[in-house]
Structure formats: C-alpha cells, structure tokens
Amino acid sequence: MRADRLVSLVLLLRQHGRLSAAALSRELEVSTRTVLRDIEALSAAGVPVYAERGRHGGFALLPGFRTELTGLNQDEALALLVAGSRRGAQAFGLGSALASAMLKVVDALPDSYRDTAAGAAERLLIDPEIDLLSRRLADEEVPDAIAAEVLRAVFAGHKLQIHYAAVGQTPKWRTVDPIGLVTVRDRGYLLATKSGADRTYRLSRVLAAKELDEPAQRPDRVDLDRAWQERSTRFRTGGDQVTVLVRLNPARREELVGTALAVLAEETDADGWLRMEVTFQDQRHAEWALWQLTLSAEALSPQWLRDSLRERATAIATRYGTSS
C-alpha cells in the first residue's frame, strides 16, 4: 500500500539522514519515478523533505523532524507488543530498554488502534516463568554491566576480554572475537572465535567483560541461525557423549527431553509408552537422568547402563532392607 511505503520512506530518511532516489528505490523496491512521486506527495502533506543537488546529493528531512508511527496497522502493533512480552531480552540485559520501547510504541499508535492492540496483547502470554506443575523455569541472571559491555563489543566489531568460569575450571581471562549473541530458553550465549577456532560462551558464566579498541577478526556478514545449528551439531556429537535407547512413560517425556542433549528417534509402543533414542553428555549424565525417572523409564541399551542402574538399585534396596 502507498501509505505504508510513504511511512517507510520517511523512516529510511530518519535513519540514514540522506539518500539518493536510486538508493530509496532499491530499499523500497520501486522505480525512481515512483520515489519522486512519493517525495512530492510527502511535501504536499507538509513533511519537510528537501532535495540536495550535486554528486553527493539526495533527499533528506529537516533536522529535528519527528513523525508518529501512523503506518503501523493493528496486527503490526500487536506483533510488537507480544514480542515485548518475551523474557529472552533479559538474557542480553535489554529488558528495561525493551519495556521502554513498548511504551513508546503504544504511545505512538493512532487512537483507533491503541486500546485494541494493548488489550489484545494482555490476552497472550509468552514463556511464563512457571509451567503447569508450578515448576519454575531456569532463569539465569546476567549483570547489566557485563551484558552492556558484551553488546558493545558485538555491535562495534571489537575484540572482547571476558573473565570466564568454565565448568570444573578456575575462572580465567580470555580475549575473543565476538560474532553474535543467541538466546535459547532464556539462556544467553556468546558466539565467538578464539585464535581462529569457534567458541561458544554462556553469558551467565561471564564474571567480567571489557570491550577492547582492537577490531575483531570476523566476517562482515554472519548467518547466526546456521552458525548455531553447526555448533549445536558439533556439541551433540563430540566428547564422551553416549546414545541410549529407553522406554518411557509419556507423562515424563518433557522431563527427559529437558535434560538430554538431543532426541535422535522417537516412536510409540503398543502399550502407549515411548521408545526413544537420546544422547547424553557422558555415562554419568545418562545414569543420573535415567535414575531420576525411577520406574517411569527403562534403559534398553547399552548394557553397561542397565548394569549400572541395577547395581545402584540393589545397593539402595540392601541399605533399606534391614532394620536399623
């Protein structure tokens, strides 16, 4: 629609300051003639857009000009408000900024949309803090100062020093080249390289961070979704990981999925139980996870896991089988 395109044109000029007709046509995917007609329409409507001649000329808005988000339709406004209800921004220290932005979105909406969009958003809840069993979901706090320092380095393309506490190791300082940030189930991760090798750091384990002036060694463009998938695959298939075949009461499925690294296969037996092939970090992890499920799960293979669980059960039975 032309109204949407006119709003987009104004927002482009506000963001970039000055753009040529050719650049605007590429951004808006219309002809330069259409851009010129839109500029004339904006001028006629009182928008202070003017042309600058010369080699580096183009179109620009008078300094200080502001416009309301009248181009937002009701569905677009609702999408923004619902996005603002997600807790993932907390992982990057953006919670307060996101809340402020949502207030500005509501304030800038036309009167005809404001009450309807805000009321609809109240009827949608995304990722609550507890599930139906009143189990509180894992919530990892990242201090605002650390999150802000990491964000600055990522956006500026600078090297980053982090004081990182890896599992089972003494915290130490590392200098990395930050690539991007990923949030998964409200857990934030920094994707980076160190001496050219891929590294993934959990933000909650960063004890301190410092942006450096030195440019980071990283590609100009990155496909974070693909990078995350590749690293996830390497993580699931590396180290001492083990694959287990298990029969499971479907009522405990989410509990198993929540602790396993990956579910490789799944089918339903004739009695309604699930037959699942899952991967765990190591033998100890597999034994612990299956033990937590008690009689709701049966490890079918490998045999060492069945033996280990039987020995543990025997030891428990022996301890409580005699009177004190």
Side-chain angles (χ1 to χ4, degrees):
M1 294 177 60
R2 189 186 187 195
D4 293 336
R5 191 174 69 244
L6 292 176
V7 172
S8 297
L9 195 157
V10 172
L11 294 177
L12 283 170
L13 293 179
R14 279 176 50 79
Q15 180 180 358
H16 297 284
R18 181 189 301 111
L19 288 173
S20 66
L24 287 168
S25 68
R26 287 193 299 270
E27 291 287 342
L28 298 172
E29 298 182 346
V30 296
S31 66
T32 54
R33 179 173 295 183
T34 298
V35 168
L36 295 176
R37 286 200 297 265
D38 287 347
I39 293 292
E40 292 178 359
L42 289 173
S43 296
V47 177
V49 58
Y50 66 98
E52 291 187 349
R53 308 291 182 182
R55 181 179 178 182
H56 300 291
F59 296 100
L61 297 168
L62 286 177
F65 173 75
R66 301 182 61 84
T67 182
E68 293 185 346
L69 298 177
T70 52
L72 279 178
N73 61 41
Q74 185 170 326
D75 288 341
E76 291 169 338
L78 178 59
L80 285 175
L81 292 172
V82 171
S85 71
R86 297 186 65 88
R87 295 185 294 122
Q90 302 293 340
F92 301 146
L94 296 175
S96 59
L98 183 57
S100 176
M102 291 304 102
L103 289 175
K104 292 178 181 178
V105 168
V106 173
D107 184 66
L109 286 173
D111 292 338
S112 58
Y113 291 161
R114 185 179 301 146
D115 293 339
T116 302
E122 291 176 354
R123 298 183 182 276
L124 299 173
L125 177 61
I126 311 297
D127 290 340
E129 293 185 1
I130 59 174
D131 62 14
L132 284 174
L133 299 178
S134 296
R135 296 176 298 192
R136 184 168 294 276
L137 303 179
D139 187 15
E140 297 189 343
E141 294 292 335
V142 180
D144 290 345
I146 293 176
E149 199 74 11
V150 173
L151 280 171
R152 281 195 293 268
V154 170
F155 294 154
H158 290 165
K159 287 184 178 293
L160 177 70
Q161 279 189 340
I162 56 174
H163 194 215
Y164 191 72
V167 177
Q169 299 181 22
T170 302
K172 63 180 180 180
W173 285 95
R174 311 159 191 246
T175 299
V176 302
D177 297 295
I179 294 176
L181 292 164
V182 176
T183 177
V184 180
R185 297 178 182 174
D186 292 335
R187 294 179 178 178
Y189 297 88
L190 168 67
L191 272 59
T193 61
K194 186 176 185 297
S195 301
D198 288 345
R199 293 288 186 269
T200 303
Y201 301 100
R202 199 147 150 183
L203 289 183
S204 61
R205 294 178 183 154
V206 177
L207 306 180
K210 180 180 180 181
E211 177 192 5
L212 304 180
D213 293 332
E214 184 180 354
Q217 300 299 313
R218 66 181 190 179
D220 294 334
R221 303 294 298 272
V222 62
D223 185 341
L224 274 185
D225 185 59
R226 179 177 179 180
W228 180 254
Q229 291 184 27
E230 291 174 349
R231 295 185 186 207
S232 297
T233 299
R234 289 198 297 269
F235 179 77
R236 291 195 304 268
T237 57
D240 300 322
Q241 293 162 11
V242 296
T243 299
V244 173
L245 181 62
V246 59
R247 263 176 46 86
L248 180 72
N249 185 326
R252 306 294 293 274
R253 181 187 182 279
E254 293 305 315
E255 191 173 342
L256 177 63
V257 171
T259 189
L261 291 181
V263 177
L264 304 181
E266 180 177 347
E267 60 183 18
T268 304
D269 285 344
D271 60 0
W273 275 43
L274 302 175
R275 186 176 294 258
M276 303 175 65
E277 186 177 4
V278 295
T279 301
F280 294 101
Q281 184 65 48
D282 51 31
Q283 294 185 9
R284 184 178 179 183
H285 181 199
E287 182 180 344
W288 173 85
L290 271 295
W291 182 258
Q292 305 305 308
L293 296 170
T294 62
L295 296 179
S296 295
E298 178 188 359
L300 301 178
S301 67
Q303 186 61 42
W304 63 260
L305 179 57
R306 292 177 60 85
D307 294 342
S308 177
L309 291 172
R310 183 181 64 254
E311 291 169 4
R312 178 181 287 203
T314 301
I316 292 293
T318 298
R319 171 166 295 182
Y320 291 101
T322 58
S323 300
S324 58

